[in-house]
Amino acid sequence: MSRTRKQKKTGFSDDWATARDCLGPDGKLSVIMPVYNLGPSIGTNSDRVRTLLEGCVPFELVLVDDGSVDNTADALRLAAARNPETVRPVLLDANVGKGAALRAGLAACSGSHVLLLDGDLDLSPEKIPTFFTVMRAERADIVIGSKRHPQSQIDYPWHRRLASWVYFTLVRILVGLPVTDTQTGMKLFRREALTWAFERMLCKRFAFDLEMLSI
């Protein structure tokens, strides 16, 4: 479903200088994009992310196909062939779930910082610099995007808003996790924090995000 995004000033800088400073002289950003049956769009989406990052920060783009049954794998091979120095495909033989796909992506990447970004680009990758600005300002190991954040303006149906509110309320009551959007498709980690969480995880599918953030 298409969504209309409206940008609003956040008080944080959207330039790349802070991102480079956060990465340091030897750091690199690994963008892991899990993909399932996105053959018609993943080539364009990966090019959008790659073009955004080129010349701004050292990076690699790890595209993980979670056993798609369409032509997604071929699209990832073509994307890697066009840009072999920065784009790396990881092709799984079967659909094993988002958690397992991200584990495979982490094993294949080498960056000091890792951005988990859903292949459908539900959240705008143009906000990546803001994530780094928040990370440095808050001295954070993890920065999580959220459609429920007061500064986020995304137009989507009322029933999805209601479902999101119910889920958040249950998570807060039952798990005690004060995160408004655990399922968001954009999260930035220092590699050590993500590795530490992955080593302790059991979920491979739908509860993956919740377990990861709880840990």
Side-chain angles (χ1 to χ4, degrees), residues 1 12 28 30 56 69 77 84 97 116 141-142 146 167 180 185 193:
M1 177 178 294
F12 292 109
K28 179 171 69 174
S30 294
C56 295
V69 295
R77 293 188 187 98
L116 307 184
D141 293 313
I142 306 170
S146 174
Y167 181 78
T180 60

Side-chain angles (χ1 to χ4, degrees), residues 55-108:
C56 295
V57 292
F59 77 96
E60 62 181 351
L61 184 56
V62 181
L63 307 172
V64 185
D65 177 28
D66 187 16
S68 298
V69 295
D70 64 356
N71 66 333
T72 294
D74 291 335
L76 299 193
R77 293 188 187 98
L78 287 174
R82 290 194 301 269
N83 299 277
E85 294 183 356
T86 54
V87 179
R88 177 180 303 177
V90 176
L91 309 178
L92 304 181
D93 294 332
N95 178 237
V96 291
K98 181 179 179 180
L102 290 176
R103 284 177 186 271
L106 182 62

Side-chain angles (χ1 to χ4, degrees), residues 25 32 90 95 122 150 186 192:
I32 302 177
V90 176
N95 178 237
D122 190 37
M186 193 171 178
E192 294 84 356

Side-chain angles (χ1 to χ4, degrees), residues 17-195:
T18 300
R20 290 190 292 269
D21 184 64
C22 197
L23 289 172
D26 301 317
K28 179 171 69 174
L29 174 63
S30 294
V31 180
I32 302 177
M33 294 177 64
V35 179
Y36 182 69
N37 288 350
L38 288 179
S41 60
I42 189 55
T44 300
N45 288 357
S46 62
D47 283 345
R48 176 180 168 187
V49 177
R50 178 188 53 77
T51 301
L52 174 69
L53 296 173
E54 275 189 341
C56 295
V57 292
F59 77 96
E60 62 181 351
L61 184 56
V62 181
L63 307 172
V64 185
D65 177 28
D66 187 16
S68 298
V69 295
D70 64 356
N71 66 333
T72 294
D74 291 335
L76 299 193
R77 293 188 187 98
L78 287 174
R82 290 194 301 269
N83 299 277
E85 294 183 356
T86 54
V87 179
R88 177 180 303 177
V90 176
L91 309 178
L92 304 181
D93 294 332
N95 178 237
V96 291
K98 181 179 179 180
L102 290 176
R103 284 177 186 271
L106 182 62
C109 76
S110 59
S112 58
H113 293 67
V114 180
L115 181 77
L116 307 184
L117 182 64
D118 283 357
D120 60 4
L121 301 187
D122 190 37
L123 294 183
S124 171
E126 282 74 20
K127 303 307 294 183
I128 292 174
T130 303
F131 277 56
F132 276 104
T133 301
V134 174
M135 175 172 278
R136 189 178 71 167
E138 301 294 336
R139 298 181 180 180
D141 293 313
I142 306 170
V143 180
I144 306 165
S146 174
K147 303 181 190 71
R148 292 176 54 85
H149 192 281
Q151 294 171 338
S152 178
Q153 293 187 353
I154 297 180
D155 183 21
Y156 63 114
W158 67 268
H159 55 85
R160 293 197 61 178
R161 292 178 182 271
L162 177 61
S164 177
W165 179 84
V166 171
Y167 181 78
F168 162 67
T169 302
L170 289 174
V171 166
R172 185 144 194 167
I173 293 173
L174 299 177
V175 184
L177 185 64
V179 176
T180 60
D181 193 352
T182 62
Q183 306 307 114
T184 185
M186 193 171 178
K187 302 179 180 75
L188 176 65
F189 297 80
R190 297 187 188 277
R191 186 186 185 93
E192 294 84 356
L194 185 59
T195 300

